[in-house]
Structures are given as C-alpha cells and as structure tokens.
Amino acid sequence: MPKVIPGGYELADMQACTLPEPVDAGFKEVVQHLKGVDYTPVLYVGQQVVAGMNYMIICRQKPVVLDPLEHLVEFVINRAHTTGDWSLVSIERIV
C-alpha cells in the first residue's frame, strides 16, 4: 500500500498504458538514463510540433526507496527533427 501523508492524495490503482510507436521507443530510451525513480506511463496525452516533436505522457513516479511517496507527473520528451535523437524536456509533478 502506498504511503499517504495528511492532505495528500491517495493515488488510484492505475494500469500502465500502451504508448504508440515511436513514442514508446523514445520513452524507454530516455528513462533508461534516469536513476533512482521508476516511471510508469498511465496516459498518453499527445504531441506538439516544435523544433522537432514534443510528446506528453502522464506517468506514475515511484522513487526506488523504502516506503516511497508516489506522484503523478507530466513527462515530456522530444524527438529532434534533424537527427531523430530523443531527449527529456521536463518532468513536472501534478499530484
């Protein structure tokens, strides 16, 4: 059972979602470099045309520690237009 703090939300039991290709590959490439925290995609939000393409995913964030406090985060990755390389744009806590 996830740890709950007074005034905090107890997160619902959300199932992992399936990301469309190539977003799934990009997500996996980016998160392999993030240590100490697990990210589970629960909602694929969509894409945004910028210098390349941004993809927004709502993820369940779970630190890899004893009794972790879990959060929902807005996870944005980018695929560069010129090279096709994937990069992390931002991770912002929602709840």
Side-chain angles (χ1 to χ4, degrees):
M1 175 184 241
K3 186 175 181 179
V4 178
I5 58 172
Y9 281 92
E10 181 177 342
L11 297 181
D13 183 25
M14 294 170 257
Q15 300 300 314
C17 72
T18 302
L19 298 175
E21 281 298 330
V23 181
D24 184 55
F27 178 80
K28 288 175 181 172
E29 183 177 323
V30 168
V31 297
Q32 74 178 344
H33 301 290
L34 304 176
K35 306 298 181 205
V37 182
D38 288 333
Y39 292 95
T40 303
V42 295
L43 174 67
Y44 172 65
V45 177
Q47 60 189 26
Q48 174 189 39
V49 177
V50 291
M53 188 73 75
N54 283 348
Y55 299 92
M56 183 186 295
I57 306 156
I58 303 300
C59 293
R60 190 174 193 123
Q61 178 191 59
K62 183 177 180 180
V64 183
V65 296
L66 184 63
D67 296 325
L69 286 176
E70 296 182 17
H71 300 286
L72 285 182
V73 296
E74 173 188 288
F75 195 99
V76 180
I77 57 177
N78 176 272
R79 187 169 197 184
H81 174 69
T82 54
T83 63
D85 292 339
W86 290 95
S87 61
L88 177 63
V89 174
S90 64
I91 301 173
E92 293 186 34
R93 186 171 142 183
I94 301 170
V95 175

